[in-house]
C-alpha cells in the first residue's frame, strides 16, 4: 500500500472489518501505533502527520459507512413492513 510506513501499522489500517466494528477504538489503536513508530524513529515528523491524517480519514470513512448501513437496513425494514412472522424472510431479502 504505502512504501515508507511501518508494515504493522499498514496491516492494521487495512483491517476494514475491525475499523467498521469500532471506528473510534481502531483509530485510537492506529494513532498510538503511529506515535510509537515515531518514538522508535521508524518514521519522521512528516510521516507521523500523514499517518494521523490517514487515521482520521479512515475513522470518518468507517463512521459514514456504518451510518449508511444502518439507514439502508432501516429503509429495507420499513419498505418490507415486517412483523415478527416475516422478519427472517425480510432480513434474508434485504441481505442482512
Amino acid at each position: 500500500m504505502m512504501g515508507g510506513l511501518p508494515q504493522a501499522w499498514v496491516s492494521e489500517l487495512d483491517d476494514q472489518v475491525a475499523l467498521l466494528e469500532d471506528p473510534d477504538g481502531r483509530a485510537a489503536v492506529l494513532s498510538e501505533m503511529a506515535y510509537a513508530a515515531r518514538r522508535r524513529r521508524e518514521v519522521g515528523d512528516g510521516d507521523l502527520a500523514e499517518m494521523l491524517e490517514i487515521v482520521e480519514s479512515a475513522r470518518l470513512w468507517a463512521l459514514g459507512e456504518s451510518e449508511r448501513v444502518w439507514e439502508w437496513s432501516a429503509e429495507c425494514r420499513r419498505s418490507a413492513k415486517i412483523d415478527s412472522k416475516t422478519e427472517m424472510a425480510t432480513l434474508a431479502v434485504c441481505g442482512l
Side-chain angles (χ1 to χ4, degrees):
M1 181 175 166
M2 297 167 225
L5 301 179
Q7 186 57 47
W9 183 86
V10 173
S11 294
E12 286 293 320
L13 179 65
D14 285 341
D15 187 353
Q16 292 182 0
V17 172
L19 188 60
L20 288 168
E21 288 176 353
D22 184 12
D24 293 325
R26 298 313 300 162
V29 168
L30 285 161
S31 293
E32 180 51 39
M33 289 178 73
Y35 283 113
R38 179 64 187 111
R39 285 191 298 274
R40 290 188 305 269
R41 296 189 173 116
E42 293 176 5
V43 297
D45 291 338
D47 289 331
L48 174 61
E50 181 180 348
M51 291 167 77
L52 295 175
E53 288 176 11
I54 292 169
V55 167
E56 181 61 10
S57 295
R59 185 184 76 82
L60 293 173
W61 169 81
L63 289 171
E65 285 297 302
S66 296
E67 184 176 319
R68 188 179 66 76
V69 167
W70 279 110
E71 289 171 359
W72 176 81
S73 175
E75 179 59 33
C76 183
R77 289 171 188 252
R78 274 193 302 276
S79 67
K81 296 184 175 90
I82 65 172
D83 61 33
S84 61
K85 293 178 185 171
T86 61
E87 182 172 3
M88 294 309 288
T90 300
L91 293 177
V93 170
C94 290
L96 300 175

